[in-house]
Amino acid sequence: MRRKVVCIICGKEKDGIPVKIDSIIKAIRWIKTNITRNEKNNILVVCRDDYQAYAKARKKYTSRQALYLTLGVIFFIIGNVMALSLAGFAITVLVLAMFYGLSLLSYAPALELRSSGRKGSKKV
């Protein structure tokens, strides 16, 4: 069975720049395979028509991720300085994880860009 090449922005079958398969996408695919049983295993790309929308979404994700993780680290430091206990440490770790989870609400994966003349790939 041939795998479909699907744009992550418009959802249509189109050719484009491949999406980097990272731990978030692997986790989503694991959940869809093992829990919901509806994994399609499509090849994910960003088509030329939707690149502007993707770039805007990726910028939003990276800026929110930096903001939420910064806030989480600040809370972690303040929380552990104020209450030096195992319970306080556990709560601040949970809050830090919650802030990271909030950043994933606007998740946009990186792209696989292969430059000519170089081996390997770089992400955007």
Side-chain angles (χ1 to χ4, degrees):
M1 185 172 145
R2 185 171 109 59
R3 292 172 49 187
K4 294 180 183 177
V5 178
V6 178
C7 175
I8 62 170
I9 303 296
C10 64
K12 297 178 183 173
E13 281 190 58
K14 291 184 175 182
D15 289 329
I17 304 169
V19 170
K20 183 176 180 357
I21 305 301
D22 58 9
S23 58
I24 305 298
I25 293 178
K26 287 178 183 176
I28 292 169
R29 286 188 169 174
W30 183 88
I31 289 168
K32 291 182 86 170
T33 300
N34 296 311
I35 297 173
T36 63
R37 308 259 188 234
N38 67 348
E39 209 271 330
K40 296 177 182 136
N41 204 23
N42 293 329
I43 298 171
L44 305 174
V45 298
V46 173
C47 67
R48 180 179 299 251
D49 299 334
D50 293 324
Y51 184 77
Q52 293 288 338
Y54 163 79
K56 186 177 177 181
R58 178 71 181 171
K59 183 177 178 183
K60 178 180 174 182
Y61 165 66
T62 55
S63 66
R64 285 197 177 172
Q65 184 180 38
L67 173 69
Y68 286 139
L69 288 178
T70 302
L71 289 173
V73 167
I74 290 170
F75 184 83
F76 179 81
I77 292 169
I78 292 171
N80 284 313
V81 167
M82 291 177 66
L84 294 174
S85 68
L86 188 59
F89 179 77
I91 289 171
T92 56
V93 168
L94 287 174
V95 170
L96 182 60
M98 182 193 71
F99 274 113
Y100 179 70
L102 284 174
S103 74
L104 294 178
L105 291 175
S106 60
Y107 176 70
L111 297 179
E112 289 281 341
L113 294 179
R114 288 174 178 62
S115 58
S116 59
R118 285 179 147 179
K119 290 186 177 182
S121 63
K122 64 179 186 178
K123 66 178 184 177
V124 174

